[in-house]
Amino acid sequence: MKEKNSPETAKPQRLLSIDALRGFDMLLIAGGGTFLVLLENKTGLAWVDYLAGQLKHPAWNGFTFYDFIFPLFLFIAGVSIPFSLKKGIEKGLSKSELYKKAFRRMLILIVLGILDKNQPVTFFDPAQIRVASVLGRIGVAGFLATILYLNFSWKSRLIWVAGILLSYYAALFLIPVPGFGAGNLTMEGNLIGWFDRNFLPGRLLQKIYDENGLITQFPAMCLAVMGTLAGDMLRTDWKESKKLSFLLLAGITAIGVGLIWSIHFPINKHLWTSSFILLTSGMAFIFLGLFYYVIDILKYQKWAFFFQVIGMNSLTIYLAYHFIDFAHTSNALFAGLYAPVPEPFHDALEALGGLALVWFMMYFLYKKKIFIKI
């Protein structure tokens, strides 16, 4: 019998392209691009300075490649949902048990996110604790995407995405903000910041708003839901060329709609605008398609091992980068090696050494088959 969510499903298989793309993304989330950022304006090479500039967020409106990194991870989290849920169903887990598992995962990620963003945690001064976090957003998006996946077909989920993005668009332009009115998209006068200041407890990252605050969770979750569409498609028994065409077409369509929408609703990561969601989800479809084509269709896989090692322990590398001082260890081990190099390059080489230490730590876990998951 064909399943509701995917009419032509085949037995799930682990795709190396998903692990590699997750590893590529998580490396940048955790700080793997710091080496390039620290080289800015030091080499005299225009392309190095350009890449370094792409690894910084714009002050407000606009877009750089670094803005794509977190949305890509939310999308990949969604891609994994059909695989993990179908595996649970095959084990005999009921829908309620799958809900509980996703809810428990969400709570754990929220707690880990609070610990990560509040070092040390000010237990006796809760007003200084930042509640919003990257991990918390991943947990909430994954939980909501799981609920939608278990109850709606792919067409209905796409309608949910459209409804959320249109509603978000309408809210920001039609609901007046005290002292600023409706449709104000400035840093000080937008609805999102006002809502965070009045309803989000604890410390706000940007003082007057938090980029991972309350209302922005809704457009952000759309990335995970879009990822479930890609995951469903990868599970089908379609020919590989058809799967690739689907990914690329979906990506081009989303980017096109996002760019057109941005004429009136600017691309803005801080506000997670609807145009930003469509642009980044479209890019995610295309990146997944390219990784799938090169790694799983053409079978050029050796180069992907570097990222696979990270992708199979993504939570570990994220927390390791935040709780272990790899820069200090890098300096202690490698400072003598790069001492002859001009001093302005030392911090970049220290970061590169730290990246090497992180990767070998992940490689050790990989060889020992230690994969920390929630």
Side-chain angles (χ1 to χ4, degrees):
M1 181 180 294
K2 295 179 180 178
E3 299 178 26
K4 175 182 177 182
N5 285 311
S6 182
E8 302 176 66
T9 52
K11 185 177 180 180
Q13 57 178 349
R14 192 171 193 94
L15 295 174
L16 176 58
S17 56
I18 298 176
D19 287 329
L21 183 57
R22 185 189 298 111
F24 164 78
D25 191 54
M26 183 51 71
L27 183 67
L28 292 174
I29 288 179
T34 304
F35 167 70
L36 280 174
V37 173
L38 292 173
L39 284 178
E40 188 174 18
N41 299 322
K42 295 178 181 178
T43 65
L45 299 173
W47 66 270
V48 172
D49 294 342
Y50 174 78
L51 291 178
Q54 287 297 308
L55 294 175
K56 299 177 183 178
H57 295 301
W60 192 241
N61 290 335
F63 185 80
T64 64
F65 185 77
Y66 205 49
D67 289 343
F68 172 56
I69 300 305
F70 186 21
L72 176 60
F73 193 86
L74 289 171
F75 181 90
I76 297 170
V79 173
S80 300
I81 286 175
F83 292 90
S84 61
L85 289 182
K86 295 303 181 182
K87 187 176 180 180
I89 291 172
E90 290 171 359
K91 291 181 178 179
L93 296 180
S94 66
K95 188 179 290 188
S96 62
E97 289 173 318
L98 293 173
Y99 289 150
K100 291 177 182 177
K101 184 177 179 180
F103 184 73
R104 182 169 58 250
R105 180 177 184 271
M106 177 184 69
L107 292 181
I108 293 173
L109 286 173
I110 289 174
V111 171
L112 288 175
I114 291 174
L115 293 174
D116 171 45
K117 296 303 179 184
N118 299 274
Q119 301 175 29
V121 179
T122 56
F123 293 104
F124 300 105
D125 189 8
Q128 296 303 313
I129 294 177
R130 185 187 174 203
V131 177
S133 69
V134 168
L135 293 179
R137 171 142 296 184
I138 294 170
V140 173
F143 175 67
L144 296 176
T146 295
I147 292 176
L148 291 181
Y149 186 83
L150 289 173
N151 291 281
F152 296 95
S153 68
W154 73 268
K155 291 182 181 179
S156 296
R157 278 178 274 141
L158 197 56
I159 292 173
W160 268 98
V161 168
I164 290 171
L165 295 182
L166 286 169
S167 298
Y168 187 69
Y169 172 58
L172 265 65
F173 277 92
L174 299 179
I175 299 177
V177 176
F180 294 94
N184 190 313
L185 299 183
T186 64
M187 187 179 298
E188 299 80 10
N190 68 83
L191 176 67
I192 304 307
W194 177 86
F195 200 90
D196 284 345
R197 290 191 297 273
N198 286 275
F199 298 102
L200 181 61
R203 173 174 58 88
L204 304 181
L205 178 62
Q206 285 86 3
K207 309 298 181 183
I208 58 174
Y209 74 97
D210 194 300
E211 63 186 33
N212 290 323
L214 294 172
I215 300 182
T216 54
Q217 183 62 63
F218 291 99
M221 68 167 279
C222 292
L223 287 155
V225 177
M226 295 284 268
T228 65
L229 303 180
D232 252 353
M233 185 279 309
L234 288 173
R235 294 185 68 258
T236 66
D237 56 8
W238 294 350
K239 292 182 178 179
E240 292 174 333
S241 58
K242 185 177 180 180
K243 295 180 183 181
L244 178 62
S245 298
F246 174 92
L247 291 172
L248 297 181
L249 180 60
I252 292 170
T253 302
I255 290 174
V257 175
L259 291 177
I260 294 172
W261 204 344
S262 72
I263 297 172
H264 188 251
F265 197 15
I267 294 170
N268 185 308
K269 180 185 183 295
H270 302 270
L271 294 176
W272 293 75
T273 56
S274 302
S275 56
F276 171 76
I277 298 299
L278 288 175
L279 172 63
T280 52
S281 64
M283 291 174 63
F285 272 112
I286 290 176
F287 265 70
L288 178 59
L290 294 176
F291 270 63
Y292 177 66
Y293 175 66
V294 173
I295 297 173
D296 290 314
I297 295 180
L298 297 182
K299 303 298 183 183
Y300 294 130
Q301 299 181 341
K302 290 184 178 180
W303 68 273
F305 180 72
F306 176 84
F307 297 115
Q308 180 190 12
V309 167
I310 297 170
M312 295 185 71
N313 249 323
S314 56
L315 179 61
T316 306
I317 189 174
Y318 181 84
L319 293 176
Y321 248 116
H322 286 72
F323 286 96
I324 301 175
D325 192 348
F326 289 104
H328 174 78
T329 306
S330 173
N331 179 269
L333 292 176
F334 307 128
L337 293 176
Y338 56 73
V341 177
E343 188 174 349
F345 293 92
H346 286 192
D347 54 356
L349 292 172
E350 180 181 280
L352 184 62
L355 175 61
L357 291 173
V358 170
W359 190 85
F360 279 108
M361 174 182 168
M362 294 301 105
Y363 178 71
F364 173 80
L365 295 177
Y366 176 87
K367 295 296 289 185
K368 296 295 183 182
K369 300 188 184 303
I370 300 173
F371 306 110
I372 301 175
K373 301 181 184 296
I374 299 175

